[in-house]
């Protein structure tokens, strides 16, 4: 294994990622394919990097924490909202999931599709508003949202199966931070837990923020 990949895995373990299947998936996805040419040297650094259209590829620890919290089993159907570079979709696919992605910016969706195909991952990416989920591919076993929502878009939990998991960053009033929240549908009841503070770009859509940078003031 390359030294920079081994170092990234060490950072993930220190950050609380202990699911070996998630660590294997993180080790197997060539992150350098999902960042711009100028940033290749930083591909395995534990930070978010800028991608096209003013968006970001999330930091490896955040991706690993989200994927671990989703408890993906091979063969499950997973929706990746805010596909961006396609990196998280690739990690989900490397866990054995059948992955659907939805991305609002067509240019990013096209580039992600091309990259994922080149890297050997079959992910079905659609251009659209993920605050509405992806009704024609629902239900899902898990949904990952990579952009902060002002509230829980009701379409998302509706598109989960019994036993389903949903992880999304929600805007937290007061301190301007976002909070990573997990919902699980267990025996007909919703269980919610907090995975801690985080920071993501805004979810922009019909059931989310209205405009480019409009977010409520902290
Ligand atoms: N998971 C991505 C992170 C991308 S950043 C990665 O691994 O690279 C979040 C992405 O969410 C951005 O690309 C942004 O365009 C997208 N986004 C924001 N609002 C959205 C919406 N309503 N539906 C779909 N995508 C959205």
């Amino acid at each position: 294994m390359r030294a920079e990949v081994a170092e990234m895995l060490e950072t993930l373990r220190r950050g609380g990622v202990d699911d070996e299947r998630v660590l294997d998936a993180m080790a197997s996805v060539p992150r350098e394919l999902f960042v711009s040419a100028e940033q290749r040297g930083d591909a395995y650094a534990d930070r978010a990097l800028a991608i096209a259209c003013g968006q970001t590829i999330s930091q490896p620890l955040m991706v690993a924490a989200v994927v671990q919290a989703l408890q993906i089993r091979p063969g499950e159907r997973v929706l990746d909202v805010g596909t961006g570079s396609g990196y998280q979709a690739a990690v989900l696919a490397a866990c054995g999931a059948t992955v659907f992605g939805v991305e609002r910016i067509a240019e990013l969706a096209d580039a992600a599709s091309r990259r994922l195909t080149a890297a050997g991952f079959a992910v079905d990416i659609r251009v659209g508003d993920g605050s509405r989920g992806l009704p024609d591919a629902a239900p899902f076993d898990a949904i990952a949202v990579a952009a902060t929502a002002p509230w829980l878009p009701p379409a998302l939990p509706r598109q989960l199966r019994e036993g389903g998991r949903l992880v999304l960053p929600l805007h937290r009033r007061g301190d301007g931070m976002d909070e990573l929240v997990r919902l699980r549908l267990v025996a007909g009841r919703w269980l919610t837990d907090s995975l801690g503070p985080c920071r993501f770009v805004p979810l922009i859509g019909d059931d989310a923020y209205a405009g480019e940078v409009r977010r409520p003031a902290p």
Side-chain angles (χ1 to χ4, degrees), residues 51 55-58 63 80-89 102-105 108 128-131 146-147 201-205 208:
I51 57 173
Q55 304 302 316
T56 52
I57 172 172
S58 309
V63 173
D80 182 61
V81 174
T83 298
S85 69
Y87 177 69
Q88 181 166 283
V102 55
E103 167 56 55
R104 66 179 277 270
I105 302 176
L108 293 179
D129 175 9
S131 72
V201 300
L203 185 74
I204 296 166

Side-chain angles (χ1 to χ4, degrees), residues 70 72 76-80 92 97-100 140-144:
L70 288 171
I72 308 292
E76 287 192 327
R77 289 168 75 86
V78 179
L79 177 63
D80 182 61
L92 291 164
T98 299
V99 184
F100 297 83
F140 301 102
D141 298 288
I143 301 178

Side-chain angles (χ1 to χ4, degrees), residues 194-208:
S194 169
L195 307 174
C198 60
R199 193 83 181 135
F200 283 84
V201 300
L203 185 74
I204 296 166
D206 287 348
D207 215 343

Side-chain angles (χ1 to χ4, degrees), residues 8 13 172 198 204 218:
M8 177 185 77
R13 287 185 197 278
R172 195 160 69 179
C198 60
I204 296 166

Side-chain angles (χ1 to χ4, degrees), residues 101-110 124-130 134:
V102 55
E103 167 56 55
R104 66 179 277 270
I105 302 176
E107 184 184 331
L108 293 179
D110 290 346
D124 184 345
I125 297 182
R126 318 275 178 87
V127 177
D129 175 9
L134 194 57

Side-chain angles (χ1 to χ4, degrees), residues 3 6 8 22 37 41 61 64-65 71 77 79 81 85 91 114 116 131 150 163 166 173 176-177 179 215:
M8 177 185 77
V22 174
L61 180 56
Q71 301 168 316
R77 289 168 75 86
L79 177 63
V81 174
S85 69
V91 174
R114 271 185 270 111
L116 285 159
S131 72
L166 162 63
R173 265 163 236 291
M177 283 297 282
E179 185 168 4
R215 294 187 71 171

Side-chain angles (χ1 to χ4, degrees), residues 134-206:
L134 194 57
D136 63 322
F140 301 102
D141 298 288
I143 301 178
V145 183
T148 297
W151 51 75
L152 172 67
L156 299 181
R158 264 192 240 124
Q159 291 175 25
L160 275 185
R161 286 203 168 112
E162 168 61 35
R165 292 84 60 199
L166 162 63
V167 171
L168 86 166
L170 283 174
H171 177 73
R172 195 160 69 179
R173 265 163 236 291
D175 64 0
M177 283 297 282
D178 305 329
E179 185 168 4
L180 197 62
V181 174
R182 177 172 65 175
L183 279 91
R184 285 175 292 165
L185 183 56
V186 180
R189 291 182 53 214
W190 288 103
L191 306 181
T192 308
D193 48 344
S194 169
L195 307 174
C198 60
R199 193 83 181 135
F200 283 84
V201 300
L203 185 74
I204 296 166
D206 287 348

